[in-house]
Amino acid sequence: MSAWERLVKPAKGGDVARVFRLLLELDADDRKAVAAQLPRHLSGLRMEDWWSWRHQLRPLRLAGVACLGGAAAVTAWLFRREFQWVESDDERVILLLRQRPAEWRADVARRIAGRLRLNDMRYWEVAAALVRETGIEPPDGDAFMVGWLRALHLGTAATDPLFTAFAPRLFEVDGLGEALPAQVGTVARLVEDGLLERKPVIDGIVGRLLRDGPSALSALAVLHDRLDLDIDESAERARDYTRLLPAGPVAVADLALAQLRRLEEAGRLEEELFAEAMEALAFRPEKKLLRAALSWAGDAVLRDARRADVVLAAMSLIFAQDTLALQERAVRLVVKLAPRAGEAGREAVRQAAAGLPEELLERVSAAYGGDIAAEEVIVTPLPAVGQGPALPPPYASPDQLVRAVSVPEVDPHTYERLLAGLVEWSHRAPDALREALRPWLEPFDSIFFGHNREDPVHAVRRAFLAFAAPGDALPKDAIRQPPTLGGFKRLYFGRAAELARSFEEGEGYPVLLATPTEGSGHVDPGVLLDRLELLEAAGARALPGDLVQALLRLPRDLPDACVRRARRLTSEAGRTCAAWMRDGGAPDPRVTVHLRTERNGYYLSGMPALRPVLDVPDDLPEELRPLYRPEAGYAFTLEWWPLAMPSHPEIVAAHMVWMMSICIDSSEAQTQSLVGLAHADGPLGSAVAHALACGMGHENAADRAAATDALLTLAARGRVPAQALAETLTKLVAEGFLKLNRVVSVLDDATQAGAHEAVWEVVVRLLPGLLPQEGERPRAGAADLLAAGARAARIAGVRAELPDVAAVAARKGPSRLVQEARRLQHLVALPKKSTL
């Protein structure tokens, strides 16, 4: 038997140990013969039987390491995509590589190190072993250094050449966060044992914290604390600690504040740095740091009364923090320091106090000479909104069109442009379009056309293929609409599939009916009639999916002239359009949404999710019925759906809420679809309220920002469904599905952007259901909700009776909930009636 025959049988059975032994016995000629067979054999393996395929990969990887000739070839073999699926064999790989000369192994070590990435550290152990054995200078790539830090061990550090090379540059590694958190204790012990010099380590920590600023690692702060600096070490770095306060993460700012306060208490902090630290802390948004600043300021001014003006300047900055408890503490300190205030401190306080709530303003005014007028409320106007994003222009040439269809992913507007461009250029310049598509056809690229894919991009590409090479490249069933697609996915996929069929059948299509004329997805009724008349003039039959989509994109309010004009159409499609315009289009269903626990699916079992139900009219046309059955499966194209039915937001939202509800703590960016939904026309009810609530309660700030944008658009259009939204939020917060503080952050952002009136309409409806009754424990975020209401009410200048708020305000005690209730009640109190 040849060497290859002896190897291939155990390799097919996944016998790694036997293949390894055989490889050690091969001579040079045998290795050369095996190397000639390996690449073709690996490429010919099929994945039909996953486990069998996977078991063959381990021995084949070893065979390549032992038999391929050059260092470059062996490195490329190790990093082949197939091998990422199998577990490591680093020890066997190293043993096989030791059969090669030292210079060759050093070359492999450098090449492997160069291929390492922070998200793919395969073979780091192999490269490290080769570096140590050959004695070459360790590679300085970031990933290689991160691998060293991950593997750093107290017992081997002293004798490891990698430690000698990398220890002085420990805090220069860009990927430090990938390894340091797990190695804080090891690094601290190395300092204690003298293997790492203490001063350079402390300097490295502080320097790296300064360099990284807002993205600084909290693990560095933990390491700093583990080193337990003495007072002299802290004093040496006082200026650096002050520079960390303005922008460092909370953990880093905590570290810096602790060191500065320690120095100030010991009389070792310069007054200039004390003033700088106070100002930096007063600008921080985190309540924890602001409370610490208030505490430090009060203690520091007791130790040295000459600091009064510095402290007053900092307190005046804290006046601008829109948190009543912080403002009250700052006011108490300011009033206490009034007798010691200098001219600069008094002026700073008087200017800043104008923005305080009325009761606090009166206290400051009385202590600082009176006549401090409340500042005028600045009202931010809502931004003007149009009909969604501006539509991109049509493709100007076949080459431009083909370049666009070659992009891996497209958005819904690009999808529409591609279909429209294919129809246009297949008529205007068919030969030029075929020539532009030739690189994908000769040789034919089946992956590009994705005949087994169900996404819209590949559906569009198959329509291009059907035009360029009808019947030659793909089987007929490749352009069939997959039966498993839900309503909106079926709508998009079906339009591309039916266009492909028209090309396959040699008919073509003169003009697309459904291409939007507005960024919201709407089709102008006059333009649709123009297109239908063009079809009739050409004697062409409207494609069914294209016609349905066009009708679904008509606005709700149609000019009488268009309704009359539609009656003059003679084709079947024209008569359908005329009836649609006459009868008012698709009916509006009533939607109810239930919060249920998922029972099916391995990953979803036990997860709460929102399940919408639509009442379907008995006489609903069959082609519309899938759109009245909400999606209940994974879909990552929600931003496509508002454009499909821009006049029926309740139906669209009903399809969205299940996916949005299960992604509320993930980063799938599903909330971006809310912006498109906000541009829709038609009634807004329970489904839209639930979709918007999911966005407002999302874990990620970026996803909540999309909900804020949607709320602003609705407010600018006068279409916020305040009652439905408040009822939905109350229900979902009470049932524990949404966190109230996240919802409040969206309401606050909307208030600041000009939607204060709409926010107030929502908040005033939320308060009765979310404020605690007498004897009840307040829910988390209830005080924040009151504060958000106060901010909106102050800007809107509202007056109202709020009995639920009054009941909380009448309670005894200094809790923040009671304080915020009193502030809101005071802001919106109705004028007292005259007794005359």
Side-chain angles (χ1 to χ4, degrees):
M1 295 176 66
S2 68
W4 172 249
E5 291 170 336
R6 295 199 305 275
L7 277 172
V8 75
K9 185 176 180 180
K12 286 182 178 179
D15 192 339
V16 178
R18 185 177 175 192
V19 167
F20 176 70
R21 290 194 301 271
L22 288 170
L23 291 171
L24 292 175
E25 298 169 359
L26 298 181
D27 58 26
D29 291 337
D30 288 338
R31 288 195 296 271
K32 186 175 181 180
V34 171
Q37 298 283 344
L38 271 174
R40 183 170 63 253
H41 179 77
L42 180 59
S43 299
L45 292 181
R46 293 289 178 263
M47 292 180 59
E48 284 83 1
D49 183 350
W50 165 263
W51 293 108
S52 173
W53 176 80
R54 187 167 176 265
H55 282 307
Q56 294 182 62
L57 295 179
R58 287 183 64 196
L60 291 175
R61 177 173 55 188
L62 293 177
V65 170
C67 299
L68 294 173
V74 169
T75 305
W77 182 260
L78 284 171
F79 281 92
R80 282 188 64 129
R81 185 173 55 186
E82 294 92 337
F83 297 140
Q84 68 181 318
W85 301 105
V86 297
E87 59 267 35
S88 64
D89 259 321
D90 288 348
E91 188 174 335
R92 289 190 175 101
V93 169
I94 293 168
L95 290 172
L96 290 172
L97 291 175
R98 282 177 181 157
Q99 311 301 309
R100 310 292 187 104
E103 185 176 345
W104 187 94
R105 283 181 283 141
D107 191 9
V108 170
R110 295 188 191 97
R111 291 176 182 275
I112 291 177
R115 296 283 293 265
L116 296 176
R117 299 292 181 268
L118 292 178
N119 62 351
D120 184 4
M121 296 290 283
R122 286 178 294 160
Y123 313 120
W124 180 87
E125 291 284 357
V126 174
L130 296 178
V131 168
R132 292 179 177 118
E133 291 174 5
T134 59
I136 61 171
E137 183 177 349
D140 60 359
D142 198 54
F144 189 81
M145 294 177 69
V146 167
W148 160 75
L149 183 54
R150 283 177 175 171
L152 185 61
H153 191 272
L154 287 170
T156 58
T159 58
D160 187 359
L162 298 184
F163 180 81
T164 304
F166 293 150
R169 294 186 285 160
L170 171 61
F171 300 104
E172 299 172 12
V173 181
D174 285 341
L176 192 63
E178 300 289 331
L180 183 63
Q183 292 286 41
V184 165
T186 301
V187 174
R189 281 288 307 276
L190 288 169
V191 174
E192 293 170 11
D193 295 346
L195 291 173
L196 286 172
E197 289 188 59
R198 182 177 177 84
K199 185 177 185 303
V201 168
I202 297 173
D203 288 340
I205 293 170
V206 176
R208 182 61 184 263
L209 290 172
L210 286 168
R211 177 186 125 188
D212 289 348
S215 59
L217 298 173
S218 59
L220 286 169
V222 175
L223 178 57
H224 182 283
D225 290 343
R226 284 286 300 269
L227 296 180
D228 193 20
L229 277 64
D230 62 35
I231 195 71
D232 292 327
E233 290 173 322
S234 295
E236 184 181 344
R237 299 166 179 84
R239 193 166 298 277
D240 290 333
Y241 292 134
T242 307
R243 290 165 60 200
L244 287 173
L245 286 176
V250 172
V252 174
D254 265 341
L255 174 157
L257 174 58
Q259 294 297 324
L260 291 170
R261 187 165 185 174
R262 172 194 188 195
L263 291 170
E264 185 272 325
E265 290 171 353
R268 301 282 298 272
L269 184 65
E270 298 175 15
E271 291 304 312
E272 173 195 357
L273 295 181
F274 173 74
E276 187 178 338
M278 277 285 113
E279 181 179 10
L281 285 168
F283 274 114
R284 295 289 304 223
E286 300 87 358
K287 295 181 179 63
K288 175 184 179 182
L289 292 175
L290 290 166
R291 288 193 294 267
L294 285 161
S295 174
W296 184 22
D299 292 344
V301 79
L302 287 177
R303 282 187 284 272
D304 189 342
R306 293 172 297 178
R307 294 170 173 159
D309 277 5
V310 169
V311 169
L312 289 173
M315 296 305 101
S316 68
L317 295 173
I318 293 178
F319 285 176
Q321 296 283 346
D322 199 7
T323 301
L324 190 59
L326 291 171
Q327 290 174 330
E328 285 199 334
R329 286 187 61 180
V331 165
R332 284 200 300 270
L333 183 54
V334 162
V335 171
K336 183 177 180 181
L337 293 178
R340 303 178 185 178
E343 188 59 32
R346 296 180 71 83
E347 185 59 26
V349 169
R350 287 182 61 84
Q351 288 187 8
L356 286 170
E358 185 176 345
E359 180 185 350
L360 298 181
L361 172 59
E362 291 173 355
R363 289 166 57 185
V364 174
S365 183
Y368 282 79
D371 299 325
I372 302 177
E375 69 180 9
E376 184 179 349
V377 176
I378 299 175
V379 179
T380 303
L382 276 167
V385 296
Q387 288 293 312
L391 286 177
Y395 295 109
S397 68
D399 287 334
Q400 188 184 80
L401 174 61
V402 173
R403 284 196 300 272
V405 83
S406 303
V407 174
E409 296 182 6
V410 301
D411 59 38
H413 287 296
T414 303
Y415 172 88
E416 296 293 345
R417 289 177 73 207
L418 289 172
L419 283 184
L422 172 58
V423 168
E424 177 187 359
W425 288 105
S426 66
H427 276 72
R428 283 181 59 184
D431 293 338
L433 182 54
R434 289 190 181 95
E435 183 62 29
L437 287 166
R438 190 173 301 281
W440 299 108
L441 297 168
E442 298 176 3
F444 178 70
D445 189 340
S446 61
I447 295 176
F448 176 78
F449 292 107
H451 61 277
N452 288 325
R453 300 286 298 275
E454 294 185 357
D455 57 275
V457 178
H458 288 90
V460 170
R461 289 180 181 176
R462 289 198 291 277
F464 274 76
L465 176 63
F467 157 74
D472 292 340
L474 289 178
K476 292 291 184 183
D477 60 358
I479 57 174
R480 244 188 243 156
Q481 179 170 289
T484 58
L485 294 184
F488 288 118
K489 286 183 282 188
R490 179 180 297 232
L491 202 60
Y492 278 106
F493 190 100
R495 290 175 58 218
E498 69 182 7
L499 185 58
R501 283 194 296 272
S502 74
F503 287 126
E504 285 282 344
E505 294 165 4
E507 295 178 357
Y509 200 49
V511 61
L512 277 182
L513 302 175
T515 304
T517 58
E518 299 284 351
S520 60
H522 284 101
V523 173
D524 181 272
V527 173
L528 176 57
L529 293 174
D530 291 342
R531 294 169 180 173
L532 284 167
E533 289 169 356
L534 180 61
L535 278 184
E536 289 189 357
R541 181 180 58 88
L543 296 177
D546 186 35
L547 177 60
V548 168
Q549 177 64 96
L551 297 177
L552 291 172
R553 284 178 168 163
L554 284 172
R556 298 179 76 91
D557 296 325
L558 300 172
D560 291 339
C562 288
V563 177
R564 291 193 298 271
R565 181 181 166 192
R567 294 174 191 155
R568 296 196 291 268
L569 296 171
T570 58
S571 64
E572 182 181 351
R575 291 192 296 273
T576 300
C577 178
W580 183 280
M581 289 183 169
R582 181 196 65 218
D583 298 337
D588 293 312
R590 189 174 66 88
V591 183
T592 55
V593 184
H594 307 280
L595 179 61
R596 296 178 179 172
T597 301
E598 290 292 336
R599 301 296 182 189
N600 299 321
Y602 178 79
Y603 294 104
L604 294 180
S605 183
M607 178 184 291
L610 297 174
R611 288 279 188 175
V613 178
L614 279 67
D615 59 347
V616 182
D618 293 336
D619 58 348
L620 187 69
E622 192 60 36
E623 61 268 21
L624 297 184
R625 287 188 175 274
L627 300 174
Y628 286 69
R629 291 192 290 269
E631 300 276 349
Y634 278 98
F636 299 100
T637 55
L638 297 194
E639 74 276 12
W640 293 59
W641 297 356
L643 271 68
M645 293 187 73
S647 296
H648 292 82
E650 278 292 279
I651 297 177
V652 174
H655 283 261
M656 292 165 55
V657 292
W658 183 85
M659 186 67 189
M660 291 187 70
S661 68
I662 66 168
C663 291
I664 202 164
D665 292 322
S666 70
S667 56
E668 303 294 347
Q670 298 295 316
T671 58
Q672 297 300 320
S673 56
L674 292 172
V675 179
L677 193 65
H679 286 283
D681 293 328
L684 306 179
S686 179
V688 170
H690 279 82
L692 191 56
C694 287
M696 296 172 73
H698 203 284
E699 179 183 45
N700 298 325
D703 288 279
R704 293 198 299 275
T708 304
D709 289 344
L711 192 60
L712 290 172
T713 299
L714 290 169
R717 300 181 68 202
R719 283 175 52 79
V720 174
Q723 184 64 40
L725 181 58
E727 290 175 357
T728 298
L729 291 170
T730 299
K731 176 186 71 172
L732 297 181
V733 168
E735 295 184 1
F737 182 74
L738 295 181
K739 294 184 178 179
L740 183 55
N741 62 328
R742 297 177 184 173
V743 172
V744 169
S745 72
V746 172
L747 295 172
D748 265 336
D749 289 344
T751 294
Q752 297 302 318
H756 41 272
E757 292 181 353
V759 169
W760 174 253
E761 292 300 324
V762 174
V763 170
V764 76
R765 290 168 169 80
L766 283 174
L767 291 170
L770 295 180
L771 287 179
Q773 300 298 312
E774 187 67 42
E776 286 184 353
R777 184 188 180 108
R779 71 180 72 254
D784 294 325
L785 179 62
L786 286 164
R791 284 186 279 274
R794 182 168 181 264
I795 298 173
V798 298
R799 295 290 181 265
E801 288 187 6
L802 304 175
D804 298 280
V805 175
V808 175
R811 298 178 189 176
K812 297 179 180 180
S815 72
R816 182 176 171 234
L817 180 76
V818 173
Q819 289 178 327
E820 294 291 358
R822 290 170 182 167
R823 173 165 68 153
L824 179 56
Q825 184 187 27
H826 183 76
L827 274 171
V828 303
L830 295 169
K832 293 182 179 179
K833 295 181 179 179
S834 173
T835 58
L836 296 178

